[in-house]
Amino acid sequence: MKKELGYNTAQKEKLIEFLIKNKDKHTSAQEIDTYLRSVGSPVGMATIYRQLERLVEAGTVRKFIIDGKSSACFQYVENEKECREHFHLKCLSCGKLIHLSCSRLMDISSHISQNHGFIIDPSQTVFYGRCADCAVSKE
Amino acid sequence: MKKELGYNTAQKEKLIEFLIKNKDKHTSAQEIDTYLRSVGSPVGMATIYRQLERLVEAGTVRKFIIDGKSSACFQYVENEKECREHFHLKCLSCGKLIHLSCSRLMDISSHISQNHGFIIDPSQTVFYGRCADCAVSKE
DNA sequence: TTGCGTGCAAAGGTTTTGCATGGCA
DNA sequence: TGCCATGCAAAACCTTTGCACGCAA
């Protein structure tokens, strides 16, 4: 766990515990609710959203909005600092999050910065598409 | 205009007219509604969504889901192929959305595809960062 | 005339907000 | 004790759907 903000409550603890356990995939507020309910520690949706909101703001959790999904997805971020130095690819099929450190991407970054005057923030940018596995099994 | 599907109705005509006029930017269903209403040719939201849906399906219009936006954005596609190579930059400070067609960006796509086995979907991908104006005034 | 397209209203689902209560520090 | 966090319910949003009517072809 990282930055400790606010109070430590049982609800918050359970929520973060779940997010960490599922850090390899994204989950919706609904799924979180279902899980917490299933383990006998139900947390109100309002609280779930409020906690997620602050976690996202703190950089502890990442929020994804994906076409085809009616709801947002959340995913725990292990090492925030490290994640500032590379880009992310997110598979729209399986939800896998790939961390990609590639010099070519950094080149593009500086190219856009120099030729288009736009400074890309890698920590906020996500490339959406299909990973190798899902590209094969097509859709 | 391209593929002609279904009936030609006044509503459909107005809607497409607006989309074409604003092909350089994204618009939400809400904005379309507001515009049509302002010019005295109101079209029900249901119809707007239904028309957009089929236009998207026909490839005439592109749908974008952007993080931070709760609603979808739509944009008329002049040349479908061209738009495959068209990425978006969104300024985190002022919210400006920049449409960038740059050969260097095409390169990234193919590079990532070839070397990392990941197929990027430009219609879902948005680069976040700071535009020239905001980078200067360093928010 | 035949159905497709439209509008209205209602339904659906997700996320946010107001307010009183309860718990952390 | 003083706030902050939670829960519940209601509200706010965005989008979809059902149904009857009107218009395009």
Side-chain angles (χ1 to χ4, degrees):
Chain A
M1 214 167 297
K2 44 186 96 161
K3 300 184 195 87
E4 273 311 327
L5 298 166
Y7 293 170
N8 280 332
T9 63
Q11 293 90 331
K12 178 179 173 184
E13 206 172 292
K14 288 286 181 192
L15 196 162
I16 294 181
E17 185 184 309
F18 175 73
L19 287 171
I20 291 179
K21 184 156 53 177
N22 291 282
K23 63 182 176 230
D24 58 320
K25 51 181 177 243
H26 61 220
T27 50
S28 64
Q30 195 54 245
E31 291 168 330
I32 294 171
D33 178 58
T34 301
Y35 169 78
L36 294 175
R37 199 176 296 282
S38 78
V39 295
S41 308
V43 174
M45 284 306 269
T47 298
I48 292 178
Y49 278 110
R50 279 190 278 233
Q51 282 295 351
L52 285 173
E53 184 185 11
R54 47 160 60 187
L55 287 170
V56 167
E57 210 163 322
T60 308
V61 165
R62 204 170 273 267
K63 181 179 181 180
F64 299 93
I65 294 180
I66 297 178
D67 193 4
K69 289 230 170 189
S70 45
S71 60
C73 289
F74 300 87
Q75 184 168 27
Y76 189 83
V77 174
E78 201 123 28
N79 185 330
E80 193 190 343
K81 189 165 62 184
E82 184 183 288
C83 277
R84 285 197 198 287
E85 284 141 26
H86 62 235
F87 283 90
H88 297 89
L89 311 178
K90 187 161 191 67
C91 180
L92 293 167
S93 285
C94 65
K96 192 191 303 170
L97 185 65
I98 300 167
H99 303 260
L100 184 59
S101 282
C102 170
S103 59
R104 286 291 291 272
L105 286 179
M106 293 312 163
D107 289 348
I108 294 299
S109 215
S110 51
H111 166 76
I112 290 182
S113 162
Q114 285 164 31
N115 300 36
H116 305 283
F118 190 95
I119 299 168
I120 292 176
D121 180 349
S123 73
Q124 298 288 312
T125 300
V126 177
F127 294 80
Y128 290 97
R130 289 186 193 290
C131 69
D133 298 338
C134 294
V136 175
S137 53
K138 195 54 188 171
E139 182 69 18
Chain B
M1 214 168 296
K2 43 185 101 161
K3 303 178 193 95
E4 271 311 327
L5 298 167
Y7 293 172
N8 280 331
T9 64
Q11 293 90 331
K12 178 179 174 184
E13 206 171 290
K14 288 286 181 192
L15 196 162
I16 294 183
E17 184 184 310
F18 175 73
L19 287 170
I20 291 180
K21 183 155 52 178
N22 291 280
K23 64 180 177 235
D24 58 319
K25 51 181 176 247
H26 291 196
T27 49
S28 63
Q30 195 54 245
E31 292 168 330
I32 293 171
D33 178 56
T34 301
Y35 168 78
L36 294 176
R37 197 177 297 283
S38 77
V39 295
S41 308
V43 174
M45 284 306 271
T47 297
I48 292 177
Y49 277 111
R50 279 190 279 233
Q51 283 295 350
L52 284 173
E53 184 185 11
R54 47 161 60 187
L55 287 170
V56 167
E57 211 163 320
T60 308
V61 165
R62 200 167 275 263
K63 181 180 180 180
F64 296 90
I65 302 281
I66 296 181
D67 281 19
K69 282 229 170 190
S70 45
S71 60
C73 288
F74 299 87
Q75 183 172 25
Y76 189 83
V77 174
E78 201 127 24
N79 179 331
E80 200 182 339
K81 189 166 64 184
E82 180 184 293
C83 255
R84 288 247 168 78
E85 294 144 9
H86 174 165
F87 280 89
H88 298 87
L89 312 178
K90 186 164 187 67
C91 180
L92 292 167
S93 286
C94 67
K96 192 191 301 171
L97 185 66
I98 299 166
H99 305 263
L100 185 58
S101 283
C102 170
S103 60
R104 289 292 288 271
L105 286 178
M106 290 194 296
D107 292 345
I108 319 180
S109 273
S110 51
H111 168 74
I112 290 182
S113 162
Q114 286 165 31
N115 300 30
H116 306 283
F118 190 93
I119 300 168
I120 292 177
D121 180 350
S123 76
Q124 300 273 320
T125 301
V126 177
F127 293 79
Y128 289 96
R130 291 188 192 289
C131 70
D133 299 338
C134 294
V136 175
S137 55
K138 193 56 184 171
E139 180 240 345

